[in-house]
Amino acid sequence: MMAFRGFRKVFGPHIAVHDLSLEIAPGEVVALLGPNGSGKTTSLKAAAGLIQPTAGGIWIGSAAGLASKPDTRKLLSFLPQRVAFPDNLTGHEVLDFYRGIRGTAPQRIGEVLRFASLNGAASRLVGTYSGGMVQRLGLAVALLPDAPLLLLDEPTAALDPDGLSAFYALIDRHTHDGRTVLFTSHQLGDAERLADRFAVLVDGRLVGVLTQRELRAKLAARGIMRISLTDCPADLLDRVRQTAPQASWLDGELCVPGPPSARPAVLESIRGAAVDMRGLVTEEGRLDTWYRELVGDQSCGDPVR
């Protein structure tokens, strides 16, 4: 559906994006992650045809048209990071204006209002909207065209829990219909909930790409089991460390890092030691574990695959 091929963008002496190559399949949801200034918004704007690459390019659709071409841009819809609309227009009037620009049918307005959970506020002036409601209106505008590709820059910013729930349902429906989504986010929980694949930019360089399945496999050994015990004799800790070498005992808690497969043997050792167990909590590795490994070291070398 879309391919960045050697995409580079330079602003004066600053290289915003270094030779980005990334392919996105039809129907795929990809989260573009990274700290501020990593090149996420620049990449999305270039994909939307709003800025020209310094080198390389972005191709979209089965005909592989350049993102900068008007015919290619008809295949996508873009939600910028910061949206603003005239305060003296109602939500419905804003949507009707953009509907005319994109050439969509009038009944489409009612559909996108339901998707964005803005039905009750459509007749109000935008000047009375909260930040979260303006964001929902921006989402509704982005959904007006029946485009196969949706580009979203920080779409969950300012959304309240109701708006977030509506957004999740919206993306689920979008992908169920076979459409493709590329979005940026600082909310790793949102990315983990929505994306099929994660791409991380650091200082304009692609330093990591993983699918959901690859992420789970990579983080399988990063979980931890915390067991509250009345006591942990030295011989018990020695037995546990035969299975989980990094296990430790501190303040009444036995901490056992490692994959879930090691946990049954640890629990069997505890039962054999006749020690009372007061509680047990497991914490599995998550997206932020991998993300912080990449972002924490600003001198990342070869991309993690």
Side-chain angles (χ1 to χ4, degrees):
M1 184 63 204
M2 180 165 70
F4 293 85
R5 293 176 182 151
F7 167 63
R8 172 183 286 245
K9 185 60 184 178
V10 177
F11 296 101
H14 175 63
I15 302 177
V17 182
H18 297 255
D19 305 323
L20 172 62
S21 292
L22 178 68
E23 294 192 1
I24 299 171
E28 190 176 24
V29 180
V30 176
L32 193 59
L33 309 174
N36 291 331
S38 60
K40 305 186 302 297
T41 294
T42 298
S43 300
L44 235 61
K45 285 183 176 180
L50 299 177
I51 60 175
Q52 293 294 320
T54 303
I58 302 105
W59 283 262
I60 294 174
S62 57
L66 280 170
S68 57
K69 302 296 184 182
D71 286 345
T72 304
R73 291 203 295 270
K74 294 177 182 178
L75 299 174
L76 62 88
S77 191
F78 173 59
L79 175 71
Q81 185 173 359
R82 295 178 180 87
V83 293
F85 305 104
D87 287 347
N88 60 344
L89 294 182
T90 67
H92 194 284
E93 288 170 337
V94 168
L95 287 167
D96 192 49
F97 172 79
Y98 283 100
R99 179 201 65 76
I101 290 176
R102 295 303 298 257
T104 56
Q107 59 266 30
R108 184 64 177 160
I109 292 178
E111 295 173 6
V112 298
L113 283 173
R114 286 193 295 273
F115 291 158
S117 296
L118 260 176
N119 283 328
S123 60
R124 286 171 44 192
L125 295 177
V126 172
T128 68
Y129 282 14
S130 66
M133 292 173 67
V134 171
Q135 186 76 359
R136 289 197 209 184
L137 181 58
L139 282 168
V141 169
L143 290 171
L144 278 170
D146 194 20
L149 173 61
L150 192 58
L151 305 174
L152 307 172
D153 196 2
E154 295 288 345
T156 59
L159 289 182
D160 60 14
D162 287 342
L164 199 57
S165 178
F167 175 71
Y168 287 162
L170 181 156
I171 296 301
D172 288 343
R173 174 162 180 168
H174 215 67
T175 53
H176 181 267
D177 292 341
R179 294 180 176 87
T180 306
V181 181
L182 174 64
F183 72 97
T184 71
S185 181
H186 286 295
Q187 305 299 323
L188 298 182
D190 295 341
E192 195 164 8
R193 161 68 174 78
L194 295 169
D196 302 309
R197 195 154 52 111
F198 315 96
V200 180
L201 291 175
V202 176
D203 290 337
R205 300 181 186 276
L206 184 65
V207 297
V209 182
L210 287 181
T211 65
Q212 279 274 9
R213 178 176 294 182
E214 290 168 339
L215 179 69
R216 288 195 295 270
K218 189 176 184 65
L219 297 180
R222 311 296 176 85
I224 188 168
M225 179 170 63
R226 302 180 186 277
I227 310 167
S228 297
L229 302 174
T230 55
D231 188 25
C232 184
D235 60 334
L236 171 59
L237 186 57
D238 289 340
R239 284 199 301 274
V240 168
R241 283 177 173 166
Q242 292 176 12
T243 304
Q246 295 183 333
S248 61
W249 168 254
L250 180 66
D251 296 332
E253 190 174 71
L254 181 64
C255 298
V256 186
S261 58
R263 294 169 187 170
V266 171
L267 295 174
E268 188 59 36
S269 295
I270 293 172
R271 280 192 287 269
V275 175
D276 290 335
M277 186 166 61
R278 295 173 173 172
L280 184 151
V281 176
T282 59
E283 302 170 6
E284 307 306 335
R286 299 185 64 84
L287 172 61
D288 65 330
T289 307
W290 174 66
Y291 173 81
R292 296 189 192 291
E293 287 178 2
L294 294 178
V295 173
D297 180 5
Q298 296 292 319
S299 59
C300 295
D302 294 335
V304 178
R305 299 293 180 189

